[in-house]
Amino acid sequence: RQNKSGNNKQHSGEQPSELTQWPIQLHLISPAAPYFQNCDLLVAADCTAFAVGSFHRDLLKDKKLVIACPKLDETSNYVEKLTALLQHNRVNSLTVAIMSVPCCRGLNAMVEKAVELSGKEIEVKNIVIDLKGEMSEGKVQSKFGLPVF
């Protein structure tokens, strides 16, 4: 099997999971769960873990995880739940990982609104993943534009 660099080397051994808590789905998490206290938080669109083969190593390692799909989930309470999570906990860093497709932009908007409503000053790092699984830091600008880097 050929990898991205053109080598025919196989990876040996298992890739360890970096997941350290359960549940992870935003509908199911408790904003008051103790594992969110003093954490680095990753809010990821559901598809991101499937698009990036190194998701655990490159995005999830040393972070707590919340996943959601802004297109298919019932999202009416997502801003409220994320706001409560931020208000009840010390979140050291906040990363949002979305796909570079229009339906994912809503997740970034929900996180940004939750940060605003929480009253806390938390910088949001945006990771945008293209359909080939390539990651870039970016900003989601207008509701009609794709991520701008």
Side-chain angles (χ1 to χ4, degrees):
R1 191 177 103 171
Q2 199 171 40
N3 64 21
K4 286 185 181 181
S5 63
N7 297 332
N8 288 320
K9 293 182 180 179
Q10 295 268 352
H11 291 285
S12 61
E14 291 185 28
Q15 297 297 313
S17 174
E18 297 293 341
L19 187 63
T20 59
Q21 102 276 353
W22 194 262
I24 58 173
Q25 172 49 246
L26 185 52
H27 273 297
L28 301 175
I29 63 113
S30 168
Y35 47 78
F36 288 124
Q37 191 55 248
N38 203 33
C39 76
D40 294 308
L41 181 62
L42 172 62
V43 178
D46 290 355
C47 296
T48 59
F50 296 99
V52 177
S54 60
F55 181 87
H56 283 254
R57 182 188 67 224
D58 294 341
L59 288 172
L60 182 55
K61 186 173 177 61
D62 299 323
K63 294 180 179 74
K64 299 304 176 189
L65 177 65
V66 173
I67 63 168
C69 177
K71 181 173 181 151
L72 300 177
D73 292 353
E74 170 51 55
T75 62
S76 61
N77 72 333
Y78 276 9
V79 170
E80 182 180 325
K81 199 161 203 182
L82 287 166
T83 301
L85 189 155
L86 296 173
Q87 288 175 330
H88 287 90
N89 299 285
R90 178 174 179 200
V91 174
N92 300 319
S93 70
L94 179 52
T95 303
V96 179
I98 63 170
M99 298 298 297
S100 64
V101 293
C103 56
C104 263
R105 289 189 303 266
L107 185 58
N108 187 70
M110 286 182 259
V111 170
E112 293 283 352
K113 186 65 175 175
V115 169
E116 177 187 327
L117 293 172
S118 76
K120 295 192 175 184
E121 291 188 30
I122 303 171
E123 184 178 338
V124 178
K125 178 180 177 183
N126 296 299
I127 303 293
V128 181
I129 300 160
D130 69 20
L131 300 179
K132 294 179 182 177
E134 299 295 322
M135 295 185 289
S136 300
E137 284 191 46
K139 289 191 173 193
V140 178
Q141 297 238 319
S142 74
K143 65 180 182 177
F144 297 108
L146 289 175
V148 175
F149 305 104

Short mmCIF file of all heavy atoms in Angstrom, two decimals, residues 23-76:
data_model
loop_
_atom_site.label_atom_id
_atom_site.label_comp_id
_atom_site.label_asym_id
_atom_site.label_seq_id
_atom_site.Cartn_x
_atom_site.Cartn_y
_atom_site.Cartn_z
N PRO A 23 -19.73 10.74 27.61
CA PRO A 23 -20.03 10.79 26.18
C PRO A 23 -19.32 11.96 25.50
O PRO A 23 -18.75 12.82 26.17
CB PRO A 23 -21.54 11.00 26.16
CG PRO A 23 -21.84 11.74 27.43
CD PRO A 23 -20.85 11.22 28.44
N ILE A 24 -19.41 11.98 24.17
CA ILE A 24 -18.79 13.05 23.41
C ILE A 24 -19.80 13.85 22.58
O ILE A 24 -19.52 14.97 22.20
CB ILE A 24 -17.65 12.53 22.51
CG1 ILE A 24 -18.15 11.46 21.53
CG2 ILE A 24 -16.51 12.00 23.36
CD1 ILE A 24 -17.12 11.00 20.50
N GLN A 25 -20.95 13.27 22.29
CA GLN A 25 -21.98 13.95 21.50
C GLN A 25 -22.54 15.11 22.31
O GLN A 25 -22.90 14.96 23.48
CB GLN A 25 -23.08 12.95 21.13
CG GLN A 25 -24.32 13.50 20.47
CD GLN A 25 -24.10 14.43 19.30
OE1 GLN A 25 -24.42 15.61 19.41
NE2 GLN A 25 -23.57 13.94 18.21
N LEU A 26 -22.63 16.28 21.70
CA LEU A 26 -23.08 17.48 22.40
C LEU A 26 -24.45 17.30 23.03
O LEU A 26 -24.70 17.80 24.13
CB LEU A 26 -23.06 18.68 21.45
CG LEU A 26 -23.38 20.04 22.05
CD1 LEU A 26 -22.55 20.36 23.28
CD2 LEU A 26 -23.21 21.14 21.00
N HIS A 27 -25.34 16.57 22.38
CA HIS A 27 -26.66 16.30 22.98
C HIS A 27 -26.54 15.57 24.31
O HIS A 27 -27.39 15.72 25.18
CB HIS A 27 -27.52 15.43 22.04
CG HIS A 27 -28.29 16.20 21.05
ND1 HIS A 27 -29.27 17.11 21.38
CD2 HIS A 27 -28.24 16.20 19.70
CE1 HIS A 27 -29.79 17.63 20.29
NE2 HIS A 27 -29.17 17.09 19.25
N LEU A 28 -25.51 14.76 24.49
CA LEU A 28 -25.42 13.88 25.64
C LEU A 28 -24.50 14.36 26.76
O LEU A 28 -24.62 13.89 27.89
CB LEU A 28 -24.93 12.49 25.18
CG LEU A 28 -25.80 11.78 24.15
CD1 LEU A 28 -25.15 10.50 23.70
CD2 LEU A 28 -27.20 11.53 24.69
N ILE A 29 -23.61 15.29 26.47
CA ILE A 29 -22.65 15.71 27.50
C ILE A 29 -23.34 16.52 28.59
O ILE A 29 -24.37 17.13 28.38
CB ILE A 29 -21.47 16.51 26.92
CG1 ILE A 29 -21.93 17.83 26.28
CG2 ILE A 29 -20.69 15.70 25.91
CD1 ILE A 29 -21.46 19.04 27.03
N SER A 30 -22.74 16.50 29.77
CA SER A 30 -23.16 17.37 30.86
C SER A 30 -22.16 18.51 30.96
O SER A 30 -20.97 18.25 31.15
CB SER A 30 -23.19 16.60 32.19
OG SER A 30 -23.33 17.52 33.25
N PRO A 31 -22.62 19.76 30.84
CA PRO A 31 -21.68 20.88 30.96
C PRO A 31 -20.95 20.92 32.30
O PRO A 31 -19.89 21.51 32.41
CB PRO A 31 -22.58 22.11 30.79
CG PRO A 31 -23.75 21.62 30.03
CD PRO A 31 -23.97 20.21 30.50
N ALA A 32 -21.51 20.27 33.31
CA ALA A 32 -20.90 20.26 34.64
C ALA A 32 -20.02 19.04 34.89
O ALA A 32 -19.53 18.84 35.99
CB ALA A 32 -21.99 20.34 35.71
N ALA A 33 -19.81 18.22 33.87
CA ALA A 33 -18.96 17.03 34.05
C ALA A 33 -17.56 17.46 34.49
O ALA A 33 -16.99 18.40 33.94
CB ALA A 33 -18.88 16.24 32.75
N PRO A 34 -17.01 16.78 35.49
CA PRO A 34 -15.72 17.20 36.05
C PRO A 34 -14.56 17.18 35.06
O PRO A 34 -13.60 17.93 35.22
CB PRO A 34 -15.49 16.23 37.20
CG PRO A 34 -16.39 15.09 36.96
CD PRO A 34 -17.55 15.61 36.16
N TYR A 35 -14.63 16.36 34.04
CA TYR A 35 -13.51 16.28 33.09
C TYR A 35 -13.38 17.52 32.22
O TYR A 35 -12.36 17.73 31.57
CB TYR A 35 -13.57 15.01 32.23
CG TYR A 35 -14.91 14.70 31.62
CD1 TYR A 35 -15.38 15.36 30.50
CD2 TYR A 35 -15.70 13.69 32.17
CE1 TYR A 35 -16.60 15.06 29.95
CE2 TYR A 35 -16.93 13.37 31.62
CZ TYR A 35 -17.37 14.06 30.50
OH TYR A 35 -18.58 13.76 29.95
N PHE A 36 -14.40 18.39 32.21
CA PHE A 36 -14.28 19.64 31.45
C PHE A 36 -13.57 20.73 32.26
O PHE A 36 -13.21 21.76 31.70
CB PHE A 36 -15.65 20.14 31.01
CG PHE A 36 -16.27 19.33 29.90
CD1 PHE A 36 -17.52 18.76 30.06
CD2 PHE A 36 -15.60 19.14 28.70
CE1 PHE A 36 -18.10 18.01 29.05
CE2 PHE A 36 -16.18 18.39 27.68
CZ PHE A 36 -17.42 17.82 27.85
N GLN A 37 -13.39 20.52 33.55
CA GLN A 37 -12.73 21.53 34.38
C GLN A 37 -11.24 21.59 34.04
O GLN A 37 -10.56 20.57 34.01
CB GLN A 37 -12.92 21.20 35.87
CG GLN A 37 -12.51 22.29 36.80
CD GLN A 37 -13.19 23.63 36.52
OE1 GLN A 37 -12.53 24.57 36.10
NE2 GLN A 37 -14.49 23.70 36.72
N ASN A 38 -10.76 22.79 33.77
CA ASN A 38 -9.34 23.02 33.48
C ASN A 38 -8.86 22.20 32.28
O ASN A 38 -7.82 21.55 32.32
CB ASN A 38 -8.50 22.71 34.72
CG ASN A 38 -7.18 23.42 34.68
OD1 ASN A 38 -7.07 24.52 34.16
ND2 ASN A 38 -6.16 22.79 35.24
N CYS A 39 -9.63 22.25 31.20
CA CYS A 39 -9.32 21.42 30.03
C CYS A 39 -8.99 22.27 28.81
O CYS A 39 -9.27 23.46 28.75
CB CYS A 39 -10.49 20.50 29.71
SG CYS A 39 -11.88 21.32 28.88
N ASP A 40 -8.41 21.61 27.85
CA ASP A 40 -8.30 22.12 26.49
C ASP A 40 -9.43 21.41 25.75
O ASP A 40 -9.54 20.18 25.79
CB ASP A 40 -6.95 21.78 25.87
CG ASP A 40 -5.81 22.48 26.60
OD1 ASP A 40 -5.90 23.72 26.75
OD2 ASP A 40 -4.85 21.81 27.01
N LEU A 41 -10.29 22.19 25.10
CA LEU A 41 -11.52 21.65 24.52
C LEU A 41 -11.45 21.65 23.00
O LEU A 41 -11.08 22.65 22.39
CB LEU A 41 -12.72 22.48 24.99
CG LEU A 41 -14.10 22.05 24.51
CD1 LEU A 41 -14.46 20.65 25.00
CD2 LEU A 41 -15.15 23.06 24.97
N LEU A 42 -11.85 20.53 22.41
CA LEU A 42 -12.01 20.41 20.97
C LEU A 42 -13.48 20.21 20.67
O LEU A 42 -14.09 19.25 21.16
CB LEU A 42 -11.20 19.22 20.44
CG LEU A 42 -11.42 18.85 18.97
CD1 LEU A 42 -11.01 19.99 18.03
CD2 LEU A 42 -10.66 17.56 18.63
N VAL A 43 -14.06 21.11 19.90
CA VAL A 43 -15.43 20.96 19.41
C VAL A 43 -15.29 20.63 17.93
O VAL A 43 -14.79 21.44 17.15
CB VAL A 43 -16.27 22.25 19.61
CG1 VAL A 43 -17.66 22.06 19.05
CG2 VAL A 43 -16.33 22.62 21.09
N ALA A 44 -15.70 19.42 17.56
CA ALA A 44 -15.45 18.93 16.20
C ALA A 44 -16.75 18.53 15.52
O ALA A 44 -17.63 17.92 16.14
CB ALA A 44 -14.50 17.73 16.24
N ALA A 45 -16.84 18.86 14.25
CA ALA A 45 -17.94 18.37 13.43
C ALA A 45 -17.79 16.85 13.31
O ALA A 45 -16.67 16.33 13.24
CB ALA A 45 -17.91 19.03 12.06
N ASP A 46 -18.91 16.16 13.31
CA ASP A 46 -18.89 14.70 13.28
C ASP A 46 -17.98 14.12 12.19
O ASP A 46 -17.26 13.16 12.43
CB ASP A 46 -20.31 14.16 13.05
CG ASP A 46 -21.24 14.36 14.23
OD1 ASP A 46 -20.78 14.83 15.30
OD2 ASP A 46 -22.44 14.05 14.09
N CYS A 47 -18.01 14.70 11.02
CA CYS A 47 -17.27 14.14 9.88
C CYS A 47 -15.76 14.28 9.99
O CYS A 47 -15.03 13.56 9.30
CB CYS A 47 -17.72 14.81 8.59
SG CYS A 47 -19.45 14.50 8.18
N THR A 48 -15.28 15.18 10.82
CA THR A 48 -13.84 15.46 10.84
C THR A 48 -12.99 14.24 11.20
O THR A 48 -11.92 14.05 10.63
CB THR A 48 -13.51 16.62 11.79
OG1 THR A 48 -13.96 16.31 13.11
CG2 THR A 48 -14.15 17.92 11.31
N ALA A 49 -13.46 13.44 12.12
CA ALA A 49 -12.67 12.28 12.54
C ALA A 49 -12.54 11.24 11.43
O ALA A 49 -11.59 10.46 11.41
CB ALA A 49 -13.29 11.63 13.78
N PHE A 50 -13.49 11.25 10.50
CA PHE A 50 -13.42 10.32 9.37
C PHE A 50 -12.59 10.88 8.23
O PHE A 50 -12.02 10.13 7.44
CB PHE A 50 -14.83 9.99 8.87
CG PHE A 50 -15.65 9.28 9.91
CD1 PHE A 50 -16.56 9.98 10.68
CD2 PHE A 50 -15.50 7.92 10.14
CE1 PHE A 50 -17.30 9.34 11.66
CE2 PHE A 50 -16.23 7.28 11.11
CZ PHE A 50 -17.14 7.98 11.88
N ALA A 51 -12.50 12.19 8.14
CA ALA A 51 -11.76 12.83 7.04
C ALA A 51 -10.27 12.91 7.31
O ALA A 51 -9.48 12.97 6.38
CB ALA A 51 -12.32 14.23 6.79
N VAL A 52 -9.89 12.92 8.58
CA VAL A 52 -8.48 13.07 8.96
C VAL A 52 -8.00 11.77 9.61
O VAL A 52 -8.42 11.44 10.72
CB VAL A 52 -8.29 14.25 9.94
CG1 VAL A 52 -6.83 14.36 10.38
CG2 VAL A 52 -8.75 15.55 9.31
N GLY A 53 -7.15 11.06 8.93
CA GLY A 53 -6.66 9.80 9.46
C GLY A 53 -5.90 9.95 10.77
O GLY A 53 -5.88 9.05 11.60
N SER A 54 -5.29 11.10 10.96
CA SER A 54 -4.50 11.35 12.17
C SER A 54 -5.27 12.18 13.20
O SER A 54 -4.67 12.87 14.01
CB SER A 54 -3.21 12.08 11.79
OG SER A 54 -3.52 13.32 11.17
N PHE A 55 -6.59 12.11 13.16
CA PHE A 55 -7.44 12.92 14.05
C PHE A 55 -7.02 12.81 15.51
O PHE A 55 -6.87 13.81 16.20
CB PHE A 55 -8.91 12.49 13.89
CG PHE A 55 -9.87 13.26 14.74
CD1 PHE A 55 -10.41 14.45 14.29
CD2 PHE A 55 -10.26 12.79 16.00
CE1 PHE A 55 -11.30 15.17 15.06
CE2 PHE A 55 -11.15 13.50 16.78
CZ PHE A 55 -11.68 14.70 16.31
N HIS A 56 -6.85 11.60 16.00
CA HIS A 56 -6.50 11.41 17.42
C HIS A 56 -5.15 12.04 17.74
O HIS A 56 -5.02 12.77 18.72
CB HIS A 56 -6.50 9.93 17.79
CG HIS A 56 -7.87 9.37 17.96
ND1 HIS A 56 -8.39 9.08 19.19
CD2 HIS A 56 -8.84 9.09 17.06
CE1 HIS A 56 -9.62 8.62 19.05
NE2 HIS A 56 -9.91 8.61 17.76
N ARG A 57 -4.17 11.77 16.92
CA ARG A 57 -2.82 12.28 17.18
C ARG A 57 -2.73 13.79 16.99
O ARG A 57 -2.13 14.49 17.80
CB ARG A 57 -1.83 11.57 16.24
CG ARG A 57 -0.38 12.00 16.48
CD ARG A 57 0.57 11.45 15.43
NE ARG A 57 0.28 12.08 14.15
CZ ARG A 57 0.22 11.41 13.00
NH1 ARG A 57 0.42 10.12 12.97
NH2 ARG A 57 -0.04 12.05 11.88
N ASP A 58 -3.32 14.31 15.91
CA ASP A 58 -3.10 15.71 15.55
C ASP A 58 -4.14 16.68 16.12
O ASP A 58 -3.84 17.87 16.25
CB ASP A 58 -3.06 15.86 14.03
CG ASP A 58 -1.86 15.16 13.42
OD1 ASP A 58 -0.89 14.88 14.16
OD2 ASP A 58 -1.90 14.89 12.21
N LEU A 59 -5.32 16.23 16.42
CA LEU A 59 -6.36 17.13 16.93
C LEU A 59 -6.81 16.81 18.35
O LEU A 59 -7.00 17.71 19.16
CB LEU A 59 -7.58 17.12 16.00
CG LEU A 59 -7.40 17.82 14.67
CD1 LEU A 59 -8.61 17.58 13.77
CD2 LEU A 59 -7.19 19.31 14.86
N LEU A 60 -7.01 15.56 18.67
CA LEU A 60 -7.62 15.17 19.94
C LEU A 60 -6.64 15.05 21.10
O LEU A 60 -7.03 15.26 22.26
CB LEU A 60 -8.40 13.87 19.76
CG LEU A 60 -9.14 13.32 20.97
CD1 LEU A 60 -10.10 14.36 21.54
CD2 LEU A 60 -9.88 12.05 20.61
N LYS A 61 -5.40 14.75 20.84
CA LYS A 61 -4.43 14.48 21.91
C LYS A 61 -4.44 15.60 22.95
O LYS A 61 -4.33 16.78 22.64
CB LYS A 61 -3.03 14.32 21.33
CG LYS A 61 -2.00 13.90 22.36
CD LYS A 61 -0.67 13.60 21.69
CE LYS A 61 0.41 13.24 22.66
NZ LYS A 61 0.15 12.06 23.45
N ASP A 62 -4.58 15.21 24.23
CA ASP A 62 -4.57 16.11 25.39
C ASP A 62 -5.76 17.07 25.44
O ASP A 62 -5.70 18.09 26.12
CB ASP A 62 -3.26 16.91 25.46
CG ASP A 62 -2.05 16.01 25.60
OD1 ASP A 62 -2.15 14.98 26.30
OD2 ASP A 62 -1.00 16.33 25.00
N LYS A 63 -6.84 16.74 24.73
CA LYS A 63 -8.03 17.59 24.75
C LYS A 63 -9.26 16.77 25.15
O LYS A 63 -9.30 15.56 24.99
CB LYS A 63 -8.29 18.20 23.37
CG LYS A 63 -7.24 19.19 22.91
CD LYS A 63 -7.59 19.74 21.54
CE LYS A 63 -6.58 20.75 21.07
NZ LYS A 63 -5.32 20.14 20.65
N LYS A 64 -10.26 17.47 25.64
CA LYS A 64 -11.58 16.89 25.84
C LYS A 64 -12.37 17.17 24.57
O LYS A 64 -12.15 18.19 23.90
CB LYS A 64 -12.28 17.48 27.06
CG LYS A 64 -11.52 17.25 28.36
CD LYS A 64 -11.25 15.78 28.58
CE LYS A 64 -10.41 15.56 29.83
NZ LYS A 64 -9.97 14.19 29.95
N LEU A 65 -13.30 16.30 24.23
CA LEU A 65 -13.97 16.34 22.94
C LEU A 65 -15.48 16.49 23.07
O LEU A 65 -16.11 15.84 23.91
CB LEU A 65 -13.66 15.04 22.17
CG LEU A 65 -14.33 14.86 20.81
CD1 LEU A 65 -13.84 15.91 19.81
CD2 LEU A 65 -14.05 13.45 20.29
N VAL A 66 -16.02 17.34 22.22
CA VAL A 66 -17.46 17.44 22.02
C VAL A 66 -17.67 17.40 20.51
O VAL A 66 -17.00 18.12 19.77
CB VAL A 66 -18.02 18.77 22.59
CG1 VAL A 66 -19.48 18.93 22.22
CG2 VAL A 66 -17.84 18.82 24.09
N ILE A 67 -18.59 16.53 20.04
CA ILE A 67 -18.87 16.46 18.61
C ILE A 67 -20.31 16.83 18.33
O ILE A 67 -21.20 16.66 19.18
CB ILE A 67 -18.56 15.07 18.01
CG1 ILE A 67 -19.46 13.99 18.62
CG2 ILE A 67 -17.09 14.72 18.17
CD1 ILE A 67 -19.41 12.65 17.89
N ALA A 68 -20.53 17.35 17.14
CA ALA A 68 -21.87 17.74 16.72
C ALA A 68 -21.91 17.87 15.20
O ALA A 68 -20.87 18.05 14.56
CB ALA A 68 -22.26 19.08 17.36
N CYS A 69 -23.12 17.79 14.66
CA CYS A 69 -23.32 18.03 13.24
C CYS A 69 -24.35 19.14 13.10
O CYS A 69 -25.53 18.95 13.42
CB CYS A 69 -23.82 16.77 12.53
SG CYS A 69 -24.17 17.08 10.78
N PRO A 70 -23.94 20.31 12.63
CA PRO A 70 -24.87 21.42 12.53
C PRO A 70 -25.95 21.21 11.47
O PRO A 70 -26.97 21.89 11.49
CB PRO A 70 -23.98 22.61 12.18
CG PRO A 70 -22.76 22.01 11.59
CD PRO A 70 -22.59 20.67 12.23
N LYS A 71 -25.77 20.27 10.57
CA LYS A 71 -26.78 20.03 9.53
C LYS A 71 -27.81 18.97 9.95
O LYS A 71 -29.00 19.16 9.76
CB LYS A 71 -26.11 19.60 8.23
CG LYS A 71 -27.13 19.37 7.12
CD LYS A 71 -26.49 19.12 5.80
CE LYS A 71 -27.58 18.92 4.76
NZ LYS A 71 -27.16 19.34 3.45
N LEU A 72 -27.36 17.88 10.56
CA LEU A 72 -28.26 16.76 10.82
C LEU A 72 -28.79 16.70 12.25
O LEU A 72 -29.80 16.06 12.50
CB LEU A 72 -27.57 15.44 10.47
CG LEU A 72 -27.13 15.32 9.01
CD1 LEU A 72 -26.38 14.01 8.79
CD2 LEU A 72 -28.31 15.44 8.07
N ASP A 73 -28.09 17.33 13.20
CA ASP A 73 -28.54 17.32 14.59
C ASP A 73 -29.67 18.33 14.80
O ASP A 73 -29.77 19.30 14.06
CB ASP A 73 -27.40 17.71 15.54
CG ASP A 73 -26.29 16.68 15.62
OD1 ASP A 73 -26.43 15.59 15.04
OD2 ASP A 73 -25.26 17.00 16.25
N GLU A 74 -30.44 18.12 15.83
CA GLU A 74 -31.38 19.13 16.33
C GLU A 74 -30.54 20.06 17.19
O GLU A 74 -30.13 19.70 18.29
CB GLU A 74 -32.50 18.48 17.13
CG GLU A 74 -33.39 19.45 17.88
CD GLU A 74 -33.94 20.57 17.01
OE1 GLU A 74 -34.57 20.27 15.99
OE2 GLU A 74 -33.72 21.75 17.37
N THR A 75 -30.25 21.25 16.69
CA THR A 75 -29.25 22.12 17.32
C THR A 75 -29.85 23.25 18.16
O THR A 75 -29.11 24.12 18.61
CB THR A 75 -28.34 22.76 16.25
OG1 THR A 75 -29.15 23.56 15.38
CG2 THR A 75 -27.60 21.70 15.45
N SER A 76 -31.13 23.22 18.41
CA SER A 76 -31.78 24.37 19.07
C SER A 76 -31.19 24.71 20.44
O SER A 76 -31.22 25.86 20.84
CB SER A 76 -33.29 24.13 19.18
OG SER A 76 -33.54 22.98 19.96
#
